[in-house]
Amino acid sequence: MRLSQYFLPVLKETPKEAQIASHRLMLRAGMIQQSSAGIYSWLPLGKKVLDRIAQIVREEQNRAGALEIMMPTIQPAEIWQESGRYDDYGAEMLRIRDRHDRDMLYGPTNEEQVTDIFRNHVRSYKTLPLNLYHIQWKFRDEVRPRFGIMRGREFLMKDAYSFDLDADRAREAYNRMFVSYLKTFARMGLTAIPMEADTGPIGGDMSHEFIILAETGESGVYFHKDWLAADLVTSVNYDEDLQPVVDKFTSLYARADEKHDPDNCPVSDGDLMSLRGIEVGHIFYFGEKYSAAMGATVAGPDGANVPVHMGSYGIGVSRLVGGIIEASHDDKGIIWPRAVAPFDVAVINLKADDETCTSCAEDLYAKLQTAGADPLLDDRDERPGAKLAAIDLIGVPWQIVVGPRGMKNGVVEVKNRRTGEAVEISPESALTMVMSDA
Ligand code: ATP
Ligand code: MG
């Protein structure tokens, strides 16, 4: 992408309304634009990161055996009346009436909708196990939308729903999602700690929240200090028994504050950490709660009809954009992990009216594309200082700076955004260096 042809409305001033780094940086980097409280438009740079995160989530869901579908944002009230949640959900639910006076709602979640799909099509246990997911916008009329897209009213969520014949098999489905969440967050460069959690209004008896540590997080968390050194990158595959893997992680104490009881905590004071965190994912097993209420039954091996055992598994896809920034930024701006970066490398031409600089920058830009990278070329007619500041702000992992001084010696400067390390090398070596960091 040529920056001269891109839409990157960066702000010089720090927006006053933003209280935390990620909100501030997303506005300054021209990633989002508020539409109304808790509702945002995603501008090109923001949309690109959002898509990259969604794609990692999608790949890991598919790998774990979940099947992608797409359910609507607008749902009929009837299915929520059947489950009993239409009244329970209260003011967070955005209720809509269509022209025929039918009660509709903008979905805050999709347990009812997916259970309705299931009961219409599945009759036998032979179709099980089944796990259906989608990545779709949700609406929750939060009392206090804040921190930009972190606690929005409209937000993008991945929600998966598992269906199994009995509690033991449902536990296997739960474990697959547990492991897939570890893999998903690790790919994004995040340390997300699974914490035993309350099941809340969804109900049920097994639940974990995945929480990344950040001073500005809304959740208080308590955990054994060994978590800080724990290796959350898991290379297990889904053909093995996952229970020992899950047990290994859950045996180390970690609780969000509502589940932490200081009087009955097994961890000694010296080993207990108390920090703040951001919830980026939440998984639940809730058994027959919806299937029994809505008649989602299957014929078991003995021919008798039984309600299926269900679980649901959410990831805050749009919240992750802010969460990753909270975990990875400095005073100059965002520092994207390569896996979710909007561009792999920025080629910055410091002197757009210099022929040598321009031909070198253009050549690098073309070669990076040919090599399969996604480069950004800063070909704008701007002051060098403004260019470098803008590229630092938007957090592209690598910068190749092409300037007249270096060109005299046939070199460019390659800078790593995270470490700040810079080297002067030939354009060919620059290409090799950037491409070898996949
Ligand atoms: P929270 O405790 O933060 O209110 P929740 O428990 O209501 O979240 P879930 O129903 O478990 O959320 O939703 C799954 C995921 O969706 C959460 O883990 C979170 O990452 C994300 N999420 C929930 N509410 C919001 C919101 N208002 N804005 C952005 N993301 C959200
Ligand atoms: Mg939750």
Side-chain angles (χ1 to χ4, degrees), residues 383-425:
R383 283 183 306 111
K387 290 188 170 195
L388 295 169
I391 302 299
D392 275 345
L393 173 65
I394 67 169
V396 179
W398 289 97
Q399 302 174 4
I400 305 180
V401 185
V402 184
R405 205 170 38 80
M407 279 293 97
K408 288 208 183 89
N409 306 316
V411 294
V412 295
E413 186 188 72
V414 184
K415 193 178 110 182
N416 182 292
R417 175 69 181 85
R418 184 174 298 279
T419 63
E421 275 168 42
V423 289
E424 294 207 325
I425 48 179

Side-chain angles (χ1 to χ4, degrees), residues 140 197-199 207-209 258 279 281-284 319:
R140 293 181 186 175
D198 268 345
T199 46
S207 173
H208 285 90
E209 289 174 343
E258 69 272 11
E279 181 192 320
H282 199 161
I283 61 177
F284 301 87
R319 178 179 287 182

Side-chain angles (χ1 to χ4, degrees), residues 25-26 29 31 45 325 328-330 332-336 391-396 417:
L25 290 169
M26 287 183 76
M31 294 177 67
L45 192 77
I325 297 174
S328 184
H329 68 273
D330 62 14
K332 296 195 189 79
I334 304 165
I335 304 173
W336 293 116
I391 302 299
D392 275 345
L393 173 65
I394 67 169
V396 179
R417 175 69 181 85

